[in-house]
Amino acid sequence: MSPKIESLDQNIAFLWDSLYYWAEKKLSLEGQELLVSLMLEPYGDMIDDLSNCMSADEIKGFRINGSMTVGRLNQVLETIYDWALKIDWSKKSTNARAWYISEEKLEPRLGERFEEDIADYEQPLQPGRDAAALSKALSTWNDHQQIAAFLVAHPEHRHTVRRIQIVSRFEYAEIRDNTIDARMLPIDLLRAKLAFFGACHFDPRSDRWVRINMFKDAPFPHELTNQETDDWTYPTLKPQT
Amino acid sequence: MSYSLNEYEALALRAARGAGLSWGLAEEAGKAVKILSSLGLESAQILLEALEAPKSNSALLLGPQLCDAPDQLSKTTLSAPVHTPGFLVAFIALTCAATDQCIYCKWQDFEVYIKDQELFAVSLKGFNVTTAAPLWIGLAKAPKGKKQIALDRAIISDHHYENLTALAFKTYAPSTEASRIAGAGAGLNDND
């Protein structure tokens, strides 16, 4: 990235734009992310308040809009979960895993549905399969009927209906892939979630768990006043040998 | 002891699921106790009553139904007895949050107004009753009564906490030798 920036013609129109398109072609995903972070950095007045947008008033968005018609819900479902409706959920391989909470760990874990006794304890963490099941249940209802009536008859689909209505308003609210497929590797999910906690330095230990550092290279309290502390989250360059 | 509202929400969700509610209704039970706490109302006792043997007239089932179709809340009388009616307050608050309305709720010697995620009480006696009938719910122009102080922690007695934890425990898979070997992080030494 350095040579590119040094040789950059700063007089061209849409300089950042051209740099970003160059990065898409030439840099790894991590490199692109780093460049985007650097490009945002000079514009504090435009971005500093954005971190406040990363929390949500969950109470406001929680209520199910029961006046939505079955037809409209179907339409939204087919748009957002088109990928899930194409999956054959009767196959063992598409259903191979189950997320559950173990007595021992008290946190969600991923197990093998057909090899362990965990199916009865499954958490609702397979939105694709649940959306496909909802779609099937809705197929016997008329388009003009209200979802409120459907949910009185089928409370088992409430969590999915709520999820679909939320995702219809917030594009990034859903994982658009099969979270229980035999070939699913949760490593990217783990990384995304942990990044929100402030984790850095990801060190995968297997395909099911990743070791991380929190606050790697962060200054100690006594260092805060006498050193430049803005850049500590960036990886440290190792001296070239 | 006191617990964070998020912790109480998660415990109530798991306890409700352990008691046999669907995931969606369990999510709503969790959100309901969080809202009640934030409105200044302690709910562990009625939560346990509602979950001991979930009934078809439980406010944990009726509340979400009312909330789904909020037109019903503009003026309605529930003449049949409602079990643990205190939860209706949470579901009315959920509706108010989405519709910016002021809604009242009354039964026996209980009368409250809810607006902007705040609770105004004429009388809170009767919040904890096991059943009530009839109940009146409707739109109000402005709240009446004393504004309640919001709580940012949930107060739960040790006895109630133990009982809720026991229900939540039913949702946890017992550990087996197989899960210890196959599960995430299993069979690997983290001390290298």
Side-chain angles (χ1 to χ4, degrees), chain A residues 40-93:
Chain A
L40 292 171
E41 197 61 31
Y43 301 102
D45 55 330
M46 288 169 74
I47 60 166
D48 282 351
D49 57 348
L50 288 179
S51 58
N52 298 334
C53 304
M54 292 175 79
S55 64
D57 181 350
E58 292 186 1
I59 287 180
K60 273 201 167 152
F62 186 77
R63 192 183 73 87
I64 291 174
N65 173 10
S67 64
M68 186 182 264
T69 61
V70 165
R72 175 70 189 140
L73 184 72
N74 256 325
Q75 221 174 26
V76 175
L77 191 157
E78 283 163 16
T79 309
I80 300 171
Y81 295 92
D82 55 334
W83 55 271
L85 300 177
K86 287 178 198 148
I87 293 173
D88 178 358
W89 294 98
S90 66
K91 278 165 65 179
K92 264 192 167 182
S93 63

Side-chain angles (χ1 to χ4, degrees), chain A residues 100 109 112 115-117, chain B residues 174-184 186:
Chain A
Y100 67 100
R109 307 188 87 192
E112 301 294 332
E115 291 164 29
E116 301 170 60
D117 291 328
Chain B
S175 288
T176 60
E177 211 43 53
S179 71
R180 286 194 192 101
I181 295 166

Side-chain angles (χ1 to χ4, degrees), chain A residues 85-111:
Chain A
L85 300 177
K86 287 178 198 148
I87 293 173
D88 178 358
W89 294 98
S90 66
K91 278 165 65 179
K92 264 192 167 182
S93 63
T94 59
N95 246 314
R97 307 281 185 64
W99 293 88
Y100 67 100
I101 292 178
S102 77
E103 276 180 13
E104 221 165 43
K105 293 270 182 177
L106 296 181
E107 58 183 22
R109 307 188 87 192
L110 184 63

Side-chain angles (χ1 to χ4, degrees), chain A residues 63 66 101 104 158 205 211, chain B residues 28 67 173 180 190 192:
Chain A
R63 192 183 73 87
I101 292 178
E104 221 165 43
R158 284 191 76 83
R205 308 302 294 172
R211 180 188 290 162
Chain B
E28 269 137 353
C67 212
R180 286 194 192 101
D190 193 24
D192 59 8

